[in-house]
Amino acid sequence: MNSAPPKLLVFAGSTRAQSWNRKLAAVAAQLAREAGAEVTHLELAEHELPLYNGDLEARGLPPEVLRLKQIFHAHAGWIICTPEYNGSYPALLKNTLDWISRPVPGDTEWSDGMRPFAGKVVGLLSASPGSLGGLRSQSHLAPLLLVLQCWVAPKKFALAKAGEAFGPDGGLLSEASRKSVRAVVDQVIWAAERLAP
């Protein structure tokens, strides 16, 4: 087990300015810092990627893909806050993971597309104005992460009625919800400390 605190990557699968999942990611990042993790709170809006296209890839990997590969690889654990679109996770999240998983021919460091993913511990959170809180998006995202060779934490949390869940400062109004988020964060930290190389 590593003695240094684990590095945790926290991000939301949304770029919308008032996204409930971006707010939830901010809460998770703060709770992870309070738990002793070294946290990077990633905003996907700062790393715009084109829609994946093999012909585009053949002309050269977008520079942002390599940057994201490095960021994802550098963290032993991740917390993903996924919106739910039509009962599943959003295209933005799928597109990001698809690009990051692409091998880079001729690059000895990134020739294995699974390198940024293999062995990472991933905790899933979601937020939705509906009564299920985005739970269906988590159920679709987990198998994808397993294919990418990630460890998916058993604890998950779906924040229902997200429009009523946050205060003016962006914090969660319900202590029960806060504890549920912290439980996911704690499990990811616990597992990352033991599974990280």
Side-chain angles (χ1 to χ4, degrees):
M1 185 170 69
N2 295 326
S3 57
K7 295 183 72 174
L8 204 62
L9 180 67
V10 181
F11 65 100
S14 176
T15 57
R16 187 172 63 86
Q18 296 302 318
S19 163
W20 307 122
N21 284 279
R22 288 182 64 210
K23 290 183 179 184
L24 189 58
V27 170
Q30 181 58 39
L31 290 173
R33 291 186 185 100
E34 291 173 6
E38 181 182 340
V39 178
T40 299
H41 184 185
L42 177 71
E43 289 284 4
L44 292 181
E46 297 172 5
H47 302 269
E48 290 188 20
L49 297 174
L51 188 63
Y52 176 75
N53 180 299
D55 292 335
L56 176 62
E57 180 185 21
R59 294 196 292 270
L61 203 69
E64 283 300 302
V65 174
L66 189 56
R67 287 182 60 193
L68 285 169
K69 279 179 175 286
Q70 293 165 341
I71 291 170
F72 277 64
H73 179 66
H75 295 80
W78 310 340
I79 301 288
I80 302 177
C81 299
T82 176
E84 182 176 292
Y85 294 174
N86 297 318
S88 191
Y89 51 83
L92 170 69
L93 187 50
K94 180 67 162 60
N95 190 57
T96 300
L97 298 176
D98 284 347
W99 269 117
I100 296 171
S101 70
R102 298 302 301 159
V104 184
D107 186 320
T108 55
E109 186 177 9
W110 301 109
S111 59
D112 180 359
M114 293 300 104
R115 186 168 184 252
F117 299 93
K120 304 301 180 182
V121 178
V122 185
L124 297 181
L125 301 172
S126 58
S128 167
S131 59
L132 294 179
L135 193 61
R136 291 174 297 182
S137 64
Q138 295 183 19
S139 70
H140 287 195
L141 182 57
L144 170 63
L145 293 167
L146 293 174
V147 168
L148 293 172
Q149 302 178 17
C150 298
W151 296 89
V152 179
K155 284 190 183 294
K156 301 172 178 64
F157 176 61
L159 179 67
K161 302 187 187 310
E164 306 165 13
F166 296 93
D169 63 349
L172 287 169
L173 296 173
S174 164
E175 183 60 25
S177 294
R178 183 181 166 87
K179 286 181 178 178
S180 294
V181 174
R182 177 63 187 263
V184 175
V185 167
D186 286 346
Q187 190 170 72
V188 170
I189 292 173
W190 181 90
E193 287 176 333
R194 288 157 176 80
L195 296 174

